[in-house]
Amino acid sequence: MKKWFLELWKFRELLWVFTLKEIKIRYKQTILGVAWAILQPAALTIIFTVIFGLFLKVHSENIPYPIFAYSALLPWTFFSTAVSFGALSVVNNSGLVTKIYFPKEVLPLSAIGAAFFDFLMASLIFILMMFIYKIPITLNILFVFILIPATLLFAIGISFFLSAINVLFRDIRFVVPLVLQVWLYLTPVIYSFGQIPEKYRVLISLNPLVGLIQGFRDVTVLGKMPDLNLTVFSLVVSLAVFFLGYWFFKSKESIFADVI
Amino acid sequence: MKQIEFKNVTKTYNPAKGRYGLLTQALGGNLNRIIGRKLKEERIVALKNVSFSVERGETLGIIGKNGAGKSTILKLISKITYPDGGEIEARGRIGAFIELGAGLHPELSGRENIFLYGAILGMKKKEIEKKFDEIVDFAEIKRFLDIPIKKYSSGMYSRLGFSVCAFCDPDILLVDEVLAVGDINFQEKCLSKMLSFTKEKSIIFVSHNLEAIKSICSKVIYLEKGKIKKIGSPDVVIKDYLKEATEEQI
């Protein structure tokens, strides 16, 4: 595995150039351009606020529902964009895979890099909302420097698995949107973790995104410590998924060009 | 010094995989294996027991009919695909100009593509910046540098691709039949550029243009159905190749 990391390091400039390419071409020939990065979570926030905040009166831990929803939609949108683009990245670049040699993990990594750029753009709105709603900021916010990298690793690991499987079986293209839709409801985005009936909590916590996304909301808008059990669990799972995914991807890499 | 060496290299392809890549089929296949039923698997042989070597400073030409395995050799050297048997060694940086438009992105401008393709070939940003003007001059695309290359003609595509490859300072240059789309002037220019390499670099040149092969190669391989039919000096091998081609026509 050390060999893989060393080679990847050698190709770091390629990774950078590819990520820039992904960002550039994503918004080429669109009128709104990068604004799409912000519109996606923003539109969902508005819909959720109307339906769950206004109509269904979902309890939002004593903060206004829009920022309650956005604080979770921000990391969630990053995760779902990263996985949807990451899963298709190898097949979408089949022209490169069959014609040029380079470590292929650059493809999912650059797709996720581009999604991370979107995340940073959408974060600007988040910071603005924090000001508008006068959310007090505490030192707990520093936990984002653990939570975000963990989310990143988790998304990369999943994308390694999916993008490699997608080379063999294109079913993945249809599976990913479906699974992501279900996953959104199994993660405390619309509701908060505290609203889950106690007997289901352990079961729901097996989803590593629970710790990551509820944690992100806790440390930013709620200004409290994240649930440490959940955080540690998510961190361990993320690391495991990352390394297993990387191993899986590399073990399948040599046949990509032949079967794609 | 041997720059490239092939020892008994065999490469086969499974024609079914990928084209019918359905999950159900894979599961079905595994099921058959479990209950001991053997599925007939016909693999297409692209190369069979191919051995040869290329010295530093040598230019090797590969000729043969379509589907003889010429491009497969280039893909194996550049590690795009891997052999089923045998050993391959290639030392140094490889500049592979194998397929038109590989590594170029249609939505990006000529300028952006030079950096993208350069990075793919393993160049550092500084190196590319240093060579940038030379690349642009050689490709003759100065006027079109800042428009997306989807608006380029195929000749411009190939000029851009070849120029980046040639100036990335490779130890091994692989060139497939892609020059054919450029006009005569550019073809001449590429050939003389390649000729200027022949002292310190190794080149493998795949072409149907026998005149071009004759003018720059020091050794030629004639491939037929994945096997080396003949290997030797350009004149002799090309003569054989032409003789057999005309015999077949009669």
Side-chain angles (χ1 to χ4, degrees):
Chain A
M1 188 160 269
K2 200 180 147 204
K3 211 178 77 193
W4 300 339
F5 281 110
L6 280 177
E7 186 174 34
L8 188 57
W9 177 247
K10 234 174 71 191
F11 278 84
R12 63 189 181 278
E13 291 212 6
L14 180 66
L15 177 58
W16 178 241
V17 173
F18 265 34
T19 307
L20 287 183
K21 177 201 94 173
E22 284 290 323
I23 295 168
K24 276 185 201 155
I25 59 173
R26 172 118 34 119
Y27 300 114
K28 274 267 161 82
Q29 278 201 12
T30 62
I31 296 172
L32 295 177
V34 187
W36 281 113
I38 297 164
L39 276 171
Q40 273 170 349
L44 280 180
T45 303
I46 293 168
I47 296 164
F48 287 176
T49 302
V50 171
I51 295 176
F52 300 104
L54 224 60
F55 296 174
L56 294 176
K57 302 250 186 305
V58 171
H59 173 68
S60 59
E61 313 212 22
N62 302 322
I63 50 168
Y65 193 84
I67 187 124
F68 171 83
Y70 196 82
S71 63
L73 274 169
L74 181 64
W76 167 261
T77 309
F78 163 66
F79 177 78
S80 87
T81 328
V83 169
S84 350
F85 281 100
L88 303 181
S89 57
V90 177
V91 168
N92 280 351
N93 288 292
S94 55
L96 291 174
V97 173
T98 54
K99 289 167 195 168
I100 291 165
Y101 171 79
F102 60 96
K104 305 291 182 296
E105 63 267 34
V106 165
L107 295 171
L109 286 175
S110 61
I112 288 164
F116 193 68
F117 170 81
D118 284 3
F119 169 75
L120 293 179
M121 289 296 115
S123 298
L124 296 177
I125 295 291
F126 184 54
I127 295 168
L128 194 70
M129 281 172 83
M130 297 265 283
F131 272 112
I132 293 172
Y133 286 104
K134 297 197 179 62
I135 306 285
I137 292 168
T138 64
L139 271 181
N140 286 325
I141 204 162
L142 293 177
F143 275 104
V144 297
F145 294 109
I146 296 172
L147 293 166
I148 293 173
T151 315
L152 202 56
L153 282 182
F154 188 54
I156 292 171
I158 301 252
S159 299
F160 277 155
F161 274 113
L162 294 177
S163 57
I165 299 173
N166 194 36
V167 172
L168 300 164
F169 313 110
R170 298 293 146 83
D171 307 47
I172 294 298
R173 200 173 6 159
F174 304 104
V175 172
V176 169
L178 185 68
V179 170
L180 281 174
Q181 222 163 37
V182 177
W183 208 336
L184 170 65
Y185 291 103
L186 291 177
T187 309
V189 174
I190 296 165
Y191 52 88
S192 70
F193 186 66
Q195 283 167 303
I196 303 168
E198 208 124 349
K199 57 178 173 177
Y200 297 117
R201 271 191 209 168
V202 177
L203 195 65
I204 288 275
S205 310
L206 291 178
N207 166 12
L209 282 182
V210 170
L212 297 172
I213 286 179
Q214 180 65 41
F216 189 83
R217 177 188 277 149
D218 282 343
V219 303
T220 53
V221 293
L222 299 175
K224 61 183 187 188
M225 285 271 288
D227 183 322
L228 284 182
N229 286 334
L230 285 180
T231 311
V232 170
F233 172 75
S234 301
L235 203 60
V236 171
V237 173
S238 300
L239 279 168
V241 168
F242 172 79
F243 284 109
L244 280 175
Y246 198 20
W247 169 81
F248 181 78
F249 188 91
K250 289 308 260 187
S251 71
K252 293 277 172 275
E253 187 186 24
S254 64
I255 58 164
F256 281 177
D258 295 345
V259 296
I260 204 163
Chain B
M1 190 181 95
K2 276 185 184 139
Q3 199 104 38
I4 305 169
E5 190 165 22
F6 268 54
K7 279 187 208 153
N8 290 320
V9 171
T10 298
K11 174 71 190 174
T12 62
Y13 289 106
N14 181 349
K17 234 186 203 169
R19 227 188 311 161
Y20 310 102
L22 290 174
L23 199 57
T24 44
Q25 231 173 23
L27 295 175
N30 284 336
L31 203 68
N32 279 321
R33 216 167 299 149
I34 291 164
I35 57 175
R37 215 173 355 143
K38 261 216 170 138
L39 286 181
K40 242 209 305 201
E41 213 184 61
E42 266 182 59
R43 296 183 72 90
I44 293 174
V45 179
L47 286 178
K48 201 167 181 193
N49 285 325
V50 171
S51 303
F52 67 89
S53 65
V54 180
E55 299 284 327
R56 193 182 174 82
E58 205 172 23
T59 301
L60 173 73
I62 303 181
I63 55 176
K65 279 187 246 150
N66 289 332
K70 305 186 294 292
S71 301
T72 303
I73 289 186
L74 298 191
K75 286 190 176 185
L76 285 168
I77 296 171
S78 48
K79 283 198 246 159
I80 293 166
T81 179
Y82 296 82
D84 300 290
E87 272 175 61
I88 298 172
E89 255 190 88
R91 298 183 184 88
R93 182 192 273 180
I94 297 170
F97 189 45
I98 294 186
E99 233 157 309
L100 191 58
L104 303 176
H105 198 285
E107 294 284 350
L108 300 177
S109 71
R111 184 188 305 274
E112 289 165 326
N113 266 298
I114 290 177
F115 283 97
L116 175 66
Y117 198 22
I120 290 173
L121 294 173
M123 289 168 88
K124 299 262 167 288
K125 194 165 176 249
K126 279 203 182 120
E127 284 179 76
I128 305 173
E129 274 164 358
K130 227 170 67 193
K131 300 260 170 82
F132 189 81
D133 292 334
E134 281 182 273
I135 293 173
V136 175
D137 277 348
F138 194 86
E140 302 164 26
I141 52 160
K142 196 156 204 160
R143 278 169 52 213
F144 314 101
L145 254 187
D146 290 306
I147 60 171
I149 63 164
K150 63 181 176 185
K151 306 241 165 77
Y152 281 23
S153 68
S154 50
M156 286 157 78
Y157 249 81
S158 118
R159 267 156 32 204
L160 179 63
F162 180 84
S163 308
V164 180
C165 265
F167 285 95
C168 85
D169 196 25
D171 300 301
I172 299 170
L173 183 66
L174 309 174
V175 183
D176 205 340
E177 191 57 298
V178 274
L179 294 178
V181 282
D183 55 28
I184 303 265
N185 289 335
F186 190 72
Q187 280 187 35
E188 293 283 320
K189 215 165 129 183
C190 291
L191 287 177
S192 62
K193 180 83 192 161
M194 279 157 72
L195 211 53
S196 77
F197 276 175
T198 46
K199 280 284 167 312
E200 73 268 41
K201 298 174 197 304
S202 307
I203 304 177
I204 297 192
F205 183 40
V206 170
S207 183
H208 292 291
N209 182 345
L210 300 176
E211 281 309 311
I213 294 258
K214 229 183 244 177
S215 69
I216 64 163
C217 295
S218 48
K219 188 159 88 176
V220 174
I221 287 178
Y222 169 19
L223 269 188
E224 194 185 62
K225 289 179 186 145
K227 286 186 197 152
I228 294 183
K229 181 117 193 223
K230 196 154 178 108
I231 182 164
S233 74
D235 289 327
V236 183
V237 178
I238 287 174
K239 215 160 114 193
D240 261 37
Y241 175 62
L242 285 176
K243 209 175 99 198
E244 268 173 54
T246 40
E247 267 169 23
E248 259 174 47
Q249 277 175 0
I250 305 161

